[in-house]
Coordinates of all heavy atoms in Angstrom, one line a residue:
M3 N 8.9 -5.2 10.9 CA 7.8 -4.5 10.3 C 7.9 -4.7 8.7 O 7.1 -4.1 8.0 CB 7.7 -3.1 10.6 CG 7.2 -2.8 12.0 SD 7.1 -1.1 12.4 CE 8.4 -1.0 13.6
T4 N 8.8 -5.6 8.3 CA 8.8 -5.9 6.9 C 7.8 -6.9 6.6 O 7.3 -7.6 7.5 CB 10.2 -6.3 6.5 OG1 10.5 -7.5 7.2 CG2 11.2 -5.3 6.8
I5 N 7.5 -7.1 5.3 CA 6.6 -8.1 4.9 C 7.3 -9.4 4.6 O 8.4 -9.4 3.9 CB 5.8 -7.6 3.6 CG1 5.2 -6.3 3.9 CG2 4.8 -8.6 3.2 CD1 4.6 -5.6 2.6
A6 N 6.8 -10.5 5.1 CA 7.4 -11.8 4.8 C 7.4 -12.1 3.3 O 6.5 -11.7 2.6 CB 6.7 -12.9 5.6
L7 N 8.4 -12.9 2.9 CA 8.5 -13.2 1.5 C 7.3 -13.9 0.9 O 6.8 -13.6 -0.2 CB 9.7 -14.1 1.2 CG 11.1 -13.4 1.3 CD1 12.2 -14.4 1.2 CD2 11.2 -12.3 0.3
E8 N 6.7 -14.8 1.7 CA 5.5 -15.5 1.2 C 4.3 -14.5 1.1 O 3.6 -14.6 0.1 CB 5.1 -16.6 2.2 CG 6.1 -17.7 2.4 CD 7.1 -17.3 3.5 OE1 6.8 -16.5 4.4 OE2 8.3 -17.8 3.4
R9 N 4.2 -13.6 2.0 CA 3.1 -12.6 1.9 C 3.3 -11.7 0.8 O 2.4 -11.3 0.1 CB 3.0 -11.9 3.3 CG 1.9 -10.8 3.3 CD 0.5 -11.5 3.3 NE -0.5 -10.4 3.2 CZ -1.5 -10.4 2.4 NH1 -1.8 -11.4 1.6 NH2 -2.4 -9.4 2.4
R10 N 4.6 -11.3 0.6 CA 4.9 -10.4 -0.5 C 4.6 -11.0 -1.9 O 4.0 -10.4 -2.7 CB 6.4 -10.0 -0.4 CG 6.9 -9.1 -1.5 CD 8.4 -8.8 -1.3 NE 8.6 -8.0 -0.2 CZ 8.7 -6.7 -0.2 NH1 8.5 -6.0 -1.3 NH2 9.0 -6.0 0.9
A11 N 4.9 -12.3 -2.0 CA 4.6 -13.0 -3.2 C 3.1 -13.1 -3.4 O 2.6 -13.0 -4.6 CB 5.3 -14.4 -3.2
Q12 N 2.4 -13.3 -2.4 CA 0.9 -13.4 -2.5 C 0.3 -12.1 -2.9 O -0.6 -12.1 -3.7 CB 0.3 -13.9 -1.1 CG -1.1 -14.0 -1.1 CD -1.6 -15.1 -2.0 OE1 -1.0 -16.1 -2.1 NE2 -2.7 -14.9 -2.7
I13 N 0.8 -11.0 -2.4 CA 0.3 -9.7 -2.8 C 0.6 -9.4 -4.2 O -0.3 -8.9 -5.0 CB 1.0 -8.6 -1.9 CG1 0.4 -8.7 -0.5 CG2 0.7 -7.2 -2.5 CD1 1.2 -7.8 0.5
V14 N 1.8 -9.8 -4.7 CA 2.1 -9.6 -6.1 C 1.2 -10.4 -7.0 O 0.7 -9.9 -8.0 CB 3.6 -9.9 -6.4 CG1 3.9 -9.9 -7.9 CG2 4.5 -8.9 -5.7
T15 N 1.0 -11.7 -6.7 CA 0.1 -12.5 -7.5 C -1.3 -12.0 -7.5 O -2.1 -12.2 -8.5 CB 0.2 -14.0 -7.1 OG1 -0.1 -14.1 -5.7 CG2 1.6 -14.5 -7.4
D16 N -1.8 -11.4 -6.4 CA -3.1 -11.0 -6.3 C -3.4 -9.7 -7.1 O -4.5 -9.5 -7.6 CB -3.5 -10.7 -4.8 CG -3.7 -11.9 -4.0 OD1 -3.8 -13.0 -4.6 OD2 -3.7 -11.8 -2.8
H17 N -2.4 -8.9 -7.3 CA -2.6 -7.5 -7.9 C -1.8 -7.2 -9.1 O -1.8 -6.1 -9.6 CB -2.2 -6.5 -6.8 CG -3.1 -6.5 -5.6 ND1 -4.4 -6.2 -5.6 CD2 -2.8 -7.0 -4.3 CE1 -4.9 -6.4 -4.3 NE2 -3.9 -6.9 -3.6
H18 N -1.1 -8.2 -9.7 CA -0.2 -8.0 -10.8 C -1.1 -7.8 -12.1 O -2.2 -8.3 -12.2 CB 0.8 -9.0 -11.0 CG 0.3 -10.4 -11.3 ND1 -1.0 -10.7 -11.4 CD2 1.0 -11.5 -11.7 CE1 -1.1 -12.0 -11.7 NE2 0.1 -12.5 -11.9
R19 N -0.5 -7.1 -13.1 CA -1.1 -6.9 -14.4 C -0.8 -8.1 -15.3 O -1.6 -8.5 -16.1 CB -0.6 -5.6 -15.0 CG -1.2 -4.4 -14.4 CD -0.7 -3.2 -15.1 NE -1.3 -2.0 -14.5 CZ -1.0 -0.8 -14.9 NH1 -0.3 -0.6 -16.0 NH2 -1.6 0.3 -14.3
H20 N 0.4 -8.6 -15.2 CA 0.9 -9.7 -16.0 C 1.8 -10.6 -15.2 O 2.1 -10.2 -14.1 CB 1.5 -9.3 -17.4 CG 2.6 -8.3 -17.2 ND1 3.9 -8.6 -16.8 CD2 2.6 -6.9 -17.3 CE1 4.6 -7.5 -16.7 NE2 3.9 -6.5 -17.0
A21 N 2.3 -11.7 -15.7 CA 3.0 -12.7 -15.0 C 4.3 -12.2 -14.3 O 4.6 -12.5 -13.2 CB 3.4 -13.9 -15.8
S22 N 5.0 -11.3 -15.0 CA 6.3 -10.8 -14.4 C 6.2 -9.4 -13.9 O 7.2 -8.8 -13.7 CB 7.4 -10.9 -15.5 OG 7.1 -10.1 -16.6
D23 N 5.0 -9.0 -13.5 CA 4.8 -7.6 -13.1 C 5.1 -7.5 -11.6 O 4.5 -8.2 -10.8 CB 3.4 -7.2 -13.4 CG 3.0 -5.8 -12.8 OD1 4.0 -5.0 -12.7 OD2 1.9 -5.6 -12.5
T24 N 6.0 -6.6 -11.2 CA 6.2 -6.3 -9.8 C 6.2 -4.9 -9.5 O 6.2 -4.5 -8.3 CB 7.5 -6.9 -9.3 OG1 8.6 -6.4 -10.1 CG2 7.6 -8.4 -9.4
G25 N 6.2 -4.0 -10.5 CA 6.3 -2.6 -10.2 C 5.1 -1.7 -10.7 O 5.2 -0.5 -10.6
S26 N 4.0 -2.3 -11.0 CA 2.9 -1.5 -11.4 C 2.3 -0.8 -10.2 O 2.5 -1.2 -9.1 CB 1.8 -2.4 -12.1 OG 1.2 -3.3 -11.1
P27 N 1.6 0.3 -10.5 CA 1.0 1.1 -9.4 C 0.1 0.2 -8.5 O 0.1 0.4 -7.2 CB 0.2 2.2 -10.0 CG 0.8 2.3 -11.4 CD 1.3 1.0 -11.8
E28 N -0.6 -0.7 -9.0 CA -1.5 -1.6 -8.2 C -0.7 -2.4 -7.2 O -1.1 -2.5 -6.1 CB -2.3 -2.5 -9.1 CG -3.3 -1.9 -10.0 CD -2.8 -1.5 -11.4 OE1 -1.5 -1.4 -11.5 OE2 -3.6 -1.3 -12.3
V29 N 0.4 -3.0 -7.7 CA 1.3 -3.8 -6.8 C 1.9 -2.9 -5.7 O 1.9 -3.2 -4.5 CB 2.3 -4.6 -7.6 CG1 3.3 -5.3 -6.6 CG2 1.7 -5.6 -8.5
Q30 N 2.4 -1.7 -6.1 CA 3.0 -0.8 -5.2 C 2.1 -0.4 -4.1 O 2.4 -0.3 -2.9 CB 3.6 0.4 -5.9 CG 4.8 0.1 -6.8 CD 5.4 1.3 -7.4 OE1 5.6 2.3 -6.7 NE2 5.6 1.2 -8.7
I31 N 0.8 0.0 -4.5 CA -0.2 0.4 -3.6 C -0.6 -0.7 -2.6 O -0.7 -0.5 -1.4 CB -1.4 1.0 -4.3 CG1 -1.0 2.2 -5.0 CG2 -2.6 1.2 -3.4 CD1 -2.1 2.7 -6.1
A32 N -0.7 -1.9 -3.1 CA -1.0 -3.1 -2.3 C 0.1 -3.3 -1.2 O -0.2 -3.6 -0.1 CB -1.3 -4.3 -3.1
M33 N 1.4 -3.2 -1.7 CA 2.5 -3.4 -0.7 C 2.5 -2.3 0.3 O 2.7 -2.6 1.5 CB 3.8 -3.4 -1.5 CG 4.1 -4.5 -2.4 SD 4.5 -6.0 -1.5 CE 5.1 -6.9 -2.8
L34 N 2.3 -1.1 -0.1 CA 2.3 0.0 0.9 C 1.1 -0.2 1.9 O 1.3 0.1 3.1 CB 2.2 1.3 0.2 CG 3.5 1.9 -0.4 CD1 3.2 3.1 -1.3 CD2 4.4 2.3 0.7
T35 N 0.0 -0.6 1.4 CA -1.2 -0.8 2.3 C -0.9 -1.9 3.3 O -1.2 -1.7 4.5 CB -2.4 -1.2 1.5 OG1 -2.7 -0.2 0.5 CG2 -3.6 -1.5 2.4
E36 N -0.2 -2.9 2.9 CA 0.2 -4.0 3.9 C 1.2 -3.4 4.9 O 1.0 -3.7 6.1 CB 0.8 -5.2 3.1 CG 1.2 -6.3 4.0 CD 0.0 -7.1 4.5 OE1 -1.1 -7.0 3.9 OE2 0.1 -7.8 5.5
R37 N 2.1 -2.7 4.5 CA 3.1 -2.1 5.4 C 2.4 -1.1 6.3 O 2.8 -1.0 7.5 CB 4.3 -1.4 4.7 CG 5.2 -2.5 4.1 CD 6.4 -1.8 3.4 NE 7.2 -1.1 4.4 CZ 8.0 -0.1 4.1 NH1 8.1 0.3 2.9 NH2 8.7 0.5 5.1
I38 N 1.5 -0.3 5.8 CA 0.8 0.7 6.6 C 0.0 0.0 7.7 O 0.0 0.4 8.9 CB -0.1 1.6 5.7 CG1 0.8 2.5 4.9 CG2 -1.1 2.3 6.6 CD1 0.1 3.3 3.8
R39 N -0.7 -1.1 7.4 CA -1.4 -1.8 8.4 C -0.5 -2.4 9.5 O -0.8 -2.4 10.7 CB -2.2 -2.9 7.7 CG -3.4 -2.4 6.9 CD -4.2 -3.4 6.3 NE -5.3 -2.8 5.6 CZ -5.8 -3.3 4.4 NH1 -5.3 -4.4 3.9 NH2 -6.8 -2.6 3.8
S40 N 0.7 -2.9 9.1 CA 1.6 -3.4 10.0 C 2.1 -2.4 11.0 O 2.2 -2.6 12.2 CB 2.8 -4.1 9.2 OG 3.8 -4.4 10.1
V41 N 2.5 -1.2 10.4 CA 3.0 -0.1 11.3 C 1.9 0.4 12.2 O 2.2 0.8 13.3 CB 3.7 1.0 10.4 CG1 4.1 2.1 11.3 CG2 4.9 0.4 9.7
S42 N 0.7 0.5 11.7 CA -0.4 1.0 12.5 C -0.6 0.1 13.7 O -0.9 0.6 14.8 CB -1.7 1.0 11.7 OG -1.5 2.0 10.6
E43 N -0.5 -1.2 13.5 CA -0.7 -2.2 14.6 C 0.5 -2.0 15.6 O 0.3 -2.0 16.8 CB -0.7 -3.6 14.1 CG -2.0 -4.0 13.4 CD -3.2 -3.9 14.4 OE1 -3.0 -4.4 15.5 OE2 -4.2 -3.4 14.0
H44 N 1.7 -1.8 15.1 CA 2.8 -1.5 16.0 C 2.6 -0.3 16.8 O 2.9 -0.3 18.0 CB 4.1 -1.4 15.1 CG 5.3 -0.9 15.9 ND1 6.0 -1.7 16.7 CD2 5.8 0.4 15.9 CE1 7.0 -0.9 17.3 NE2 6.9 0.3 16.8
L45 N 2.1 0.8 16.2 CA 1.9 2.0 16.9 C 0.8 2.0 18.0 O 0.8 2.8 18.9 CB 1.7 3.2 16.0 CG 2.9 3.6 15.2 CD1 2.5 4.6 14.1 CD2 4.0 4.2 16.1
K46 N -0.1 1.0 17.9 CA -1.1 0.9 18.9 C -0.5 0.5 20.2 O -1.0 0.8 21.3 CB -2.2 -0.1 18.5 CG -3.1 0.4 17.4 CD -4.1 -0.7 17.0 CE -4.9 -0.1 15.8 NZ -5.8 -1.1 15.2
G47 N 0.6 -0.3 20.2 CA 1.2 -0.7 21.4 C 2.4 0.1 21.8 O 2.9 0.0 22.9
H48 N 2.9 1.0 20.9 CA 4.1 1.8 21.2 C 3.7 3.2 20.8 O 4.1 3.8 19.8 CB 5.3 1.3 20.3 CG 5.6 -0.1 20.6 ND1 5.0 -1.2 19.9 CD2 6.5 -0.6 21.5 CE1 5.6 -2.3 20.4 NE2 6.5 -2.0 21.3
D49 N 3.0 3.9 21.7 CA 2.5 5.2 21.5 C 3.6 6.3 21.2 O 3.4 7.2 20.5 CB 1.7 5.7 22.7 CG 0.5 4.8 22.9 OD1 0.0 4.2 21.9 OD2 0.0 4.8 24.0
K50 N 4.8 6.1 21.8 CA 5.8 7.2 21.8 C 6.8 6.9 20.7 O 7.9 7.6 20.7 CB 6.4 7.3 23.1 CG 5.4 7.8 24.2 CD 6.1 8.1 25.5 CE 5.0 8.6 26.5 NZ 5.7 9.0 27.7
D51 N 6.6 6.0 19.8 CA 7.6 5.6 18.8 C 7.4 6.6 17.6 O 6.7 6.3 16.6 CB 7.4 4.2 18.3 CG 8.4 3.7 17.4 OD1 9.3 4.5 17.0 OD2 8.4 2.5 17.0
N52 N 8.0 7.8 17.7 CA 7.8 8.9 16.8 C 8.5 8.6 15.4 O 8.1 9.1 14.4 CB 8.3 10.2 17.3 CG 7.3 10.7 18.4 OD1 6.1 10.5 18.3 ND2 7.9 11.1 19.5
H53 N 9.6 7.8 15.5 CA 10.3 7.5 14.2 C 9.4 6.6 13.3 O 9.3 6.8 12.1 CB 11.6 6.8 14.5 CG 12.6 7.6 15.1 ND1 12.7 8.0 16.4 CD2 13.7 8.3 14.6 CE1 13.7 8.8 16.7 NE2 14.3 9.0 15.6
S54 N 8.7 5.6 13.9 CA 7.8 4.8 13.1 C 6.6 5.6 12.7 O 6.1 5.4 11.6 CB 7.4 3.6 14.0 OG 8.5 2.7 14.2
R55 N 6.2 6.5 13.5 CA 5.0 7.4 13.1 C 5.4 8.2 11.9 O 4.6 8.4 11.0 CB 4.6 8.2 14.3 CG 3.3 9.0 14.1 CD 2.9 9.7 15.4 NE 3.0 8.9 16.6 CZ 2.0 8.0 17.0 NH1 1.0 7.8 16.2 NH2 2.2 7.3 18.1
R56 N 6.6 8.7 11.9 CA 7.0 9.5 10.7 C 7.1 8.7 9.5 O 6.6 9.1 8.4 CB 8.4 10.2 11.0 CG 8.8 11.0 9.8 CD 10.2 11.7 10.1 NE 10.5 12.6 9.1 CZ 11.3 12.3 8.0 NH1 11.7 11.0 7.9 NH2 11.6 13.2 7.1
G57 N 7.6 7.5 9.6 CA 7.6 6.5 8.5 C 6.2 6.2 8.0 O 6.0 6.1 6.8
L58 N 5.3 6.1 8.9 CA 3.9 5.8 8.6 C 3.3 6.9 7.8 O 2.7 6.7 6.7 CB 3.1 5.5 9.8 CG 1.6 5.3 9.6 CD1 1.3 4.1 8.8 CD2 0.9 5.3 11.0
I59 N 3.5 8.1 8.2 CA 3.0 9.3 7.5 C 3.6 9.4 6.1 O 2.9 9.7 5.2 CB 3.3 10.6 8.4 CG1 2.4 10.6 9.6 CG2 3.0 11.8 7.5 CD1 2.8 11.6 10.6
M60 N 4.9 9.1 6.0 CA 5.5 9.1 4.7 C 4.9 8.1 3.7 O 4.7 8.3 2.6 CB 7.0 9.0 4.8 CG 7.7 10.2 5.4 SD 9.4 10.0 5.8 CE 10.1 9.6 4.3
M61 N 4.7 6.9 4.3 CA 4.1 5.8 3.5 C 2.7 6.1 3.0 O 2.3 5.9 1.9 CB 4.1 4.5 4.3 CG 5.4 3.8 4.3 SD 5.3 2.2 5.1 CE 5.3 2.5 6.8
V62 N 1.9 6.7 3.9 CA 0.5 7.1 3.6 C 0.6 8.2 2.5 O -0.2 8.1 1.5 CB -0.2 7.6 4.8 CG1 -1.5 8.3 4.4 CG2 -0.5 6.5 5.8
G63 N 1.5 9.1 2.5 CA 1.6 10.1 1.5 C 2.0 9.5 0.2 O 1.5 9.9 -0.9
K64 N 2.9 8.6 0.2 CA 3.4 7.9 -1.1 C 2.2 7.2 -1.7 O 2.0 7.2 -2.9 CB 4.6 7.0 -0.8 CG 5.1 6.4 -2.1 CD 6.4 5.7 -1.8 CE 6.9 5.1 -3.1 NZ 8.1 5.9 -3.5
R65 N 1.5 6.5 -0.8 CA 0.3 5.7 -1.3 C -0.7 6.6 -1.9 O -1.3 6.3 -3.0 CB -0.3 4.9 -0.2 CG -1.5 4.0 -0.7 CD -2.0 3.1 0.4 NE -2.8 4.0 1.3 CZ -3.4 3.5 2.4 NH1 -3.4 2.2 2.6 NH2 -4.0 4.3 3.2
N66 N -1.0 7.8 -1.3 CA -1.9 8.7 -1.8 C -1.5 9.3 -3.2 O -2.3 9.5 -4.1 CB -2.1 9.9 -0.9 CG -3.0 9.5 0.3 OD1 -3.8 8.5 0.2 ND2 -2.9 10.2 1.4
R67 N -0.2 9.5 -3.3 CA 0.3 10.0 -4.6 C 0.1 8.9 -5.7 O -0.3 9.2 -6.8 CB 1.8 10.4 -4.5 CG 2.0 11.7 -3.8 CD 3.5 12.2 -3.9 NE 4.5 11.2 -3.5 CZ 4.9 11.1 -2.2 NH1 4.4 11.9 -1.3 NH2 5.8 10.3 -1.9
L68 N 0.4 7.7 -5.4 CA 0.2 6.6 -6.3 C -1.2 6.4 -6.7 O -1.6 6.1 -7.8 CB 0.8 5.3 -5.8 CG 2.3 5.2 -5.8 CD1 2.8 4.0 -5.0 CD2 2.8 5.0 -7.2
L69 N -2.1 6.5 -5.7 CA -3.5 6.4 -5.9 C -4.0 7.5 -6.8 O -4.8 7.3 -7.7 CB -4.3 6.4 -4.6 CG -4.3 5.1 -3.8 CD1 -4.9 5.3 -2.4 CD2 -5.1 4.1 -4.6
R70 N -3.6 8.7 -6.6 CA -3.9 9.8 -7.5 C -3.5 9.6 -8.9 O -4.2 9.9 -9.9 CB -3.4 11.2 -7.0 CG -4.2 11.8 -5.9 CD -3.9 13.2 -5.6 NE -2.5 13.6 -5.7 CZ -1.7 13.7 -4.6 NH1 -2.2 13.5 -3.4 NH2 -0.4 14.1 -4.8
Y71 N -2.3 9.1 -9.1 CA -1.7 8.8 -10.4 C -2.6 7.7 -11.1 O -2.9 7.8 -12.3 CB -0.3 8.3 -10.3 CG 0.2 7.7 -11.6 CD1 0.6 8.5 -12.6 CD2 0.3 6.3 -11.7 CE1 1.1 7.9 -13.8 CE2 0.8 5.7 -12.9 CZ 1.2 6.6 -13.9 OH 1.6 6.0 -15.1
L72 N -2.9 6.7 -10.4 CA -3.7 5.6 -10.9 C -5.1 6.1 -11.3 O -5.6 5.7 -12.3 CB -3.8 4.4 -10.0 CG -4.4 3.1 -10.5 CD1 -3.6 2.6 -11.7 CD2 -4.5 2.1 -9.4
A73 N -5.7 6.9 -10.5 CA -7.0 7.4 -10.8 C -7.0 8.3 -12.0 O -8.0 8.3 -12.8 CB -7.6 8.2 -9.6
R74 N -5.9 9.0 -12.2 CA -5.8 9.9 -13.4 C -5.5 9.1 -14.6 O -6.0 9.5 -15.7 CB -4.6 10.9 -13.1 CG -4.5 12.0 -14.1 CD -3.4 12.9 -13.7 NE -2.1 12.3 -13.8 CZ -1.2 12.2 -12.7 NH1 -1.6 12.7 -11.6 NH2 0.0 11.6 -12.8
T75 N -4.7 8.1 -14.6 CA -4.3 7.3 -15.8 C -5.2 6.2 -16.1 O -5.4 5.9 -17.3 CB -2.9 6.8 -15.6 OG1 -2.8 6.0 -14.5 CG2 -1.9 8.0 -15.5
D76 N -5.8 5.5 -15.1 CA -6.6 4.3 -15.4 C -7.8 4.2 -14.3 O -7.6 3.5 -13.3 CB -5.8 3.1 -15.3 CG -6.5 1.8 -15.9 OD1 -7.7 1.9 -16.2 OD2 -5.8 0.8 -15.9
P77 N -8.8 5.0 -14.5 CA -9.9 5.1 -13.5 C -10.5 3.7 -13.2 O -10.9 3.5 -12.0 CB -10.9 6.0 -14.1 CG -10.2 6.8 -15.2 CD -9.1 5.9 -15.6
D78 N -10.7 2.8 -14.2 CA -11.3 1.5 -13.9 C -10.4 0.7 -13.0 O -10.9 0.1 -12.0 CB -11.5 0.7 -15.2 CG -12.5 1.4 -16.1 OD1 -13.4 2.1 -15.5 OD2 -12.4 1.3 -17.3
A79 N -9.1 0.7 -13.2 CA -8.2 -0.1 -12.3 C -8.2 0.5 -10.9 O -8.1 -0.2 -9.9 CB -6.8 -0.1 -12.9
Y80 N -8.3 1.8 -10.8 CA -8.4 2.5 -9.6 C -9.6 2.1 -8.8 O -9.5 1.7 -7.6 CB -8.4 4.0 -9.8 CG -8.7 4.9 -8.6 CD1 -7.7 5.1 -7.6 CD2 -10.0 5.4 -8.4 CE1 -8.0 5.8 -6.5 CE2 -10.3 6.1 -7.2 CZ -9.3 6.4 -6.3 OH -9.6 7.1 -5.2
Q81 N -10.7 2.0 -9.4 CA -12.0 1.6 -8.7 C -11.9 0.2 -8.2 O -12.3 -0.1 -7.1 CB -13.2 1.8 -9.6 CG -13.5 3.3 -9.9 CD -13.9 4.0 -8.6 OE1 -14.5 3.4 -7.7 NE2 -13.6 5.3 -8.5
K82 N -11.3 -0.7 -9.1 CA -11.2 -2.1 -8.7 C -10.2 -2.3 -7.5 O -10.5 -3.0 -6.6 CB -10.8 -3.0 -9.9 CG -11.9 -3.2 -10.9 CD -11.5 -4.3 -11.9 CE -10.3 -4.0 -12.7 NZ -10.1 -5.0 -13.7
L83 N -9.1 -1.5 -7.6 CA -8.1 -1.7 -6.5 C -8.6 -1.2 -5.2 O -8.4 -1.9 -4.2 CB -6.9 -0.9 -6.9 CG -5.7 -1.0 -6.0 CD1 -5.2 -2.4 -5.9 CD2 -4.6 -0.1 -6.3
I84 N -9.3 0.0 -5.1 CA -9.7 0.5 -3.8 C -10.9 -0.4 -3.3 O -11.0 -0.5 -2.1 CB -10.2 2.0 -3.9 CG1 -11.3 2.2 -4.8 CG2 -9.0 2.8 -4.2 CD1 -11.9 3.6 -4.8
G85 N -11.6 -1.1 -4.2 CA -12.6 -2.0 -3.7 C -12.0 -3.2 -3.1 O -12.4 -3.7 -2.1
R86 N -10.9 -3.8 -3.8 CA -10.2 -5.0 -3.2 C -9.5 -4.7 -1.9 O -9.5 -5.5 -1.0 CB -9.2 -5.5 -4.3 CG -9.9 -6.3 -5.3 CD -8.8 -7.0 -6.2 NE -8.1 -6.0 -6.9 CZ -7.2 -6.2 -7.8 NH1 -6.8 -7.4 -8.1 NH2 -6.6 -5.2 -8.5
L87 N -8.9 -3.5 -1.8 CA -8.1 -3.2 -0.6 C -9.0 -2.6 0.5 O -8.5 -2.5 1.6 CB -7.0 -2.2 -1.0 CG -5.9 -2.8 -1.9 CD1 -4.9 -1.7 -2.2 CD2 -5.2 -4.0 -1.3
G88 N -10.2 -2.2 0.1 CA -11.1 -1.6 1.1 C -10.5 -0.2 1.6 O -10.6 0.1 2.8
L89 N -10.1 0.6 0.7 CA -9.5 1.9 1.1 C -10.5 3.0 1.3 O -10.5 3.6 2.4 CB -8.4 2.3 0.1 CG -7.2 1.4 0.1 CD1 -6.2 1.9 -1.0 CD2 -6.5 1.4 1.4
R90 N -11.2 3.3 0.3 CA -12.1 4.4 0.4 C -13.6 3.9 0.7 O -13.9 2.8 0.4 CB -12.1 5.2 -0.9 CG -10.8 5.6 -1.4 CD -10.5 7.1 -1.2 NE -9.3 7.5 -1.9 CZ -8.2 7.8 -1.3 NH1 -8.0 7.7 0.0 NH2 -7.2 8.2 -2.0
K91 N -14.3 4.8 1.2 CA -15.7 4.4 1.5 C -16.7 4.9 0.5 O -16.5 5.8 -0.2 CB -16.1 5.0 2.9 CG -15.3 4.4 4.0 CD -15.7 4.9 5.3 CE -15.1 4.1 6.4 NZ -13.9 4.4 6.9

């Protein structure tokens, strides 16, 4: 359920602020979104995997905290990011 190196590099290049950026909130949110989608697909076939379900809930909580931070500090970047990731309706 980890992200392949090629996919990880692609996510970083799609969402980075500058060339050597790997830790900005945008990149972290994009990485968490990818992992959340992966674990969600896993749980569709493994209903009773409660350990993965707990990890999923923790990842969703962390992503929500990062999204709140980004919305508070940089509303324009927040709007662009949720549009690109398709998070909010």
